[in-house]
Amino acid sequence: MTSARLVIDRDFTVGPVPRRLFGSFVEHMGRCVYTGIYEPGHPTADERGYRRDVLDLTREMGVSIVRYPGGNFVSGYHWEDGIGPADQRPRRMDGAWHTIETNAFGLHEFAGWAQEAGVEMMEAINLGTRGVEEARSLVEYANHPGGTAWSDLRIKNGAKDPFGIKVWNLGNELDGPWQIGHKTADEYGRLAQEAGKAMKLVDPSIELVAVGSSNAHMPTFGQWEHTVLSHAYDEVDYISLHAYYQEHDGDTLSFLASANDMDYFIESIIATADAVKAKRHAKKSIHLSFDEWNVWYQQRGDGGDQPHMVEKAEWREHPRLIEDEYNVTDAVVVGTFLHSLLRHGDRVTIANQAQLVNVIAPIRSEEGGPAWRQSIFWPFARMSELATGQIMRVASTGDRFETRQYGDATVVDAAVTYDAERGRVVLFVANRGLDEAADVALDLRGFTASAVTRAEVLTVPEGGDRHSSNTEGAQDVVGLAPLAGAGVDDAGAVRASLPPLSWAVIEVAVAEA
Ligand code: AHR
């Protein structure tokens, strides 16, 4: 048995929970759009071709904002190809994913889907092959009420009201040599500055995300962010972060501690952005948009083609790409990623799990067939539902374990929120121990806890193991179940015993003491 003691104090808060932390990502890649969110002719499709089964799961998951249309795809995309009469739209070669893009789905279809799903739109512009002119015309098309060429074209195409898109990505992963239109930090920083300036001249209310490093292992990591922000600090509001993790060569302990690396990554970028702020004597702080994060088995190669296999294949429409199947371990790790994002919610105010459906996704769907929840669906759905109010600082002591990649880590990893209006504290907590249960005690200073009102746990299912997962034929193998025995002790602390390798949520009714 391992143990951990967590302490929160009513007066020690990080800040309000940013709703945009529960974002997702829809890219024109593989089967995320086609046969994912959009499949005319599917038994559940509505008159516009949106799959209702996927819409229902998106709403159940509590997704707040969706980034679109890429990803690597956007760096060669012409947004104009996706507007106007569908039968007149061009078929194009998408070089990013070696795919034929039919353009049956475009900006209007995304706006309609986002409205149905109840999510905010987050739009990426192409700064790979295009530039300032495209950027400002797209903002005019999407956001200007009318009376100009681009806004009137939107109205002619069926959208009387502007889409009102607030958050815009200034390109995608342009530090990466694989990116169409890859740039140096100086080239990109200047372009982002000028594109951002022109976009805000059209609509000053928009918020702009500059491209940060594609991952923390890029040779230009750190210097890239510094240079880009040195050019574009005044024009942009966010810098982006991307990170994907997987279990390498059976090193499960490092994989379980991946959120340590996410913490480190976030804190490094905050430090870099603040260094530029200090140098410029700037008043505003740059926020972080962690707009791609997830587990991605880049080496495993199952569930459809991996990117390195794609270019050898025939040109196809919506091929099956990187459809990773997630297990219990992945769900626990994803839970800890959400903890990390929440703990940094004063600076990370947008985050998008990549991606929403089929492509490294919490939701899976089959063409003409069902849609179902992967294991990683659950921590996201519960945190989106219950993380409201204020993020609390958590002081934590307890057992630790050594990892090869990320130093030592606490066995128990947690995040806590307090919602004064609802009178509840919610503990989100993972036991990263593979073999032992963990005894957790949460001390609530400045509160009187009356009862645990809800306690659920995701762990290894009976008869299964840590590799158990949900599949088309067995959709509910891994999920949340009641956590027995969680309660408030005589001293007013919350106590729970977490099974080995588990992620849990414990809601507690409280009053301020
Ligand atoms: O999400 C899959 C891909 O990963 C995205 O297109 C790209 O931005 C990242 O490298």
Side-chain angles (χ1 to χ4, degrees), residues 25 27 29 71-73 97 172-173 178 242 244 292 296 322 354-355 360:
F25 175 33
E27 177 167 8
M29 175 181 179
N72 295 343
F73 172 80
W97 302 116
N172 178 71
E173 294 190 353
W178 60 85
H242 291 181
Y244 294 101
E292 287 187 34
W296 176 1
I322 59 168
Q355 299 186 4
I360 44 171

Side-chain angles (χ1 to χ4, degrees), residues 249-273:
D249 308 321
D251 184 3
T252 313
L253 295 184
S254 296
F255 179 50
L256 283 164
S258 302
N260 281 23
D261 189 62
M262 195 180 219
D263 288 339
Y264 172 75
F265 186 14
I266 291 170
E267 284 155 25
S268 307
I269 299 303
I270 292 172
T272 308

Side-chain angles (χ1 to χ4, degrees), residues 24-39 49-51 54-55 58 66-70 73 97 99 101 105 110 113 317-323 353-365:
S24 190
F25 175 33
V26 166
E27 177 167 8
H28 282 251
M29 175 181 179
R31 300 191 311 113
C32 189
V33 172
Y34 304 108
T35 74
I37 63 172
Y38 177 77
E39 189 182 331
Y50 305 142
R51 281 185 65 150
V54 173
L55 274 170
T58 305
V66 174
R67 178 170 174 250
Y68 173 85
F73 172 80
W97 302 116
T99 297
E101 173 56 55
F105 192 96
F110 178 58
W113 178 86
E317 288 178 22
H318 54 81
R320 199 177 278 273
L321 298 180
I322 59 168
E323 299 192 357
Q353 189 182 35
Q355 299 186 4
L356 180 65
V357 196
N358 292 327
V359 178
I360 44 171
I363 300 172
R364 282 290 324 274
S365 68

Side-chain angles (χ1 to χ4, degrees), residues 120-247:
E120 182 182 355
M121 297 165 77
M122 176 172 175
E123 183 78 15
I125 60 161
N126 173 357
L127 288 187
T129 60
R130 307 186 82 187
V132 178
E133 184 57 38
E134 182 237 359
R136 68 180 190 144
S137 55
L138 178 50
V139 176
E140 183 183 321
Y141 185 89
N143 284 4
H144 196 65
T148 65
W150 284 114
S151 57
D152 286 346
L153 184 58
R154 181 198 69 240
I155 295 167
K156 185 170 160 233
N157 287 334
K160 186 170 160 297
D161 295 327
F163 298 134
I165 304 171
K166 282 279 169 250
V167 186
W168 296 78
N169 287 92
L170 297 171
N172 178 71
E173 294 190 353
L174 287 151
D175 63 323
W178 60 85
Q179 200 71 206
I180 298 175
H182 163 58
K183 292 175 174 51
T184 65
D186 277 310
E187 288 166 348
Y188 172 71
R190 283 286 298 125
L191 182 56
Q193 178 186 20
E194 292 305 324
K197 184 174 83 188
M199 291 165 81
K200 283 190 170 173
L201 285 172
V202 177
D203 181 353
S205 75
I206 60 177
E207 299 166 40
L208 299 177
V209 184
V211 165
S213 294
S214 298
N215 60 68
H217 307 286
M218 296 299 290
T220 51
F221 174 65
Q223 188 56 51
W224 172 275
E225 284 81 357
H226 195 278
T227 305
V228 167
L229 288 177
S230 297
H231 287 294
Y233 199 95
D234 294 337
E235 286 75 18
V236 307
D237 306 282
Y238 303 83
I239 185 93
S240 75
L241 294 81
H242 291 181
Y244 294 101
Y245 295 90
Q246 63 180 316
E247 186 173 322

